[in-house]
Amino acid sequence: MSSTESNTYEGFTAEERAAMKEHAQEQKAAARRGSRADKAALAERDVLAKIAEMQDSDRVMAERVHAVVTASAPELAPKLWYGMPAYALDGKVVCFFQSAAKFKARYATLGFSDQANLDEGTMWAAGFALTEVTPEVEERIAALVKQAVS
């Protein structure tokens, strides 16, 4: 590349680097935990603590998402994933909540990994923008989570 060409890649953002550091800390903490029951209880405690740290609107939405996910698919285990509340089946993340503040976005996100059974033809949504969690949104989340683990 010549000196007149500009390189637009500037590396990871500070938010992305922070998320990667959080993920490394989560992995270390999980490895140090005792029995399976202890791990599950501590993981849920970590998720609830992370939700409690969120800003007002994100916190309210994350609390509702957590309640809907755990009620709709009790087989999913809450855990932190890159500093976000996530829900896993057999240790693999199926869905997660990302606060708007996490990456300075204008909306929070309910995302689904490739572990989620949401396949619909040759194209389907794997992420949903959230600006508010209404009763109608709760119903949609419950249906998506149930389908994701089916």
Side-chain angles (χ1 to χ4, degrees), residues 17-108:
R17 285 190 304 274
M20 288 185 283
K21 285 180 183 177
E22 282 183 283
H23 184 62
Q25 291 170 345
E26 293 158 9
Q27 295 295 343
K28 287 177 187 175
R32 288 190 302 263
R33 293 189 172 145
S35 72
R36 188 176 197 162
D38 288 344
K39 287 181 182 185
L42 291 171
E44 182 158 19
R45 183 201 67 193
D46 292 347
V47 166
L48 294 173
K50 183 59 72 174
I51 290 170
E53 293 173 4
M54 292 179 185
Q55 296 175 0
D56 292 340
S57 64
D58 284 341
R59 186 183 67 253
V60 169
M61 287 189 288
E63 289 170 346
R64 293 307 315 140
V65 167
H66 179 77
V68 171
V69 170
T70 55
S72 301
E75 63 269 38
L76 291 177
K79 66 183 276 179
L80 288 178
W81 187 60
Y82 293 95
M84 298 175 285
Y87 305 88
L89 184 62
D90 299 327
K92 296 180 181 177
V93 171
V94 173
C95 63
F96 60 89
F97 176 85
Q98 181 179 301
S99 70
K102 180 84 175 167
F103 295 105
K104 299 178 182 162
R106 66 183 181 99
Y107 51 80

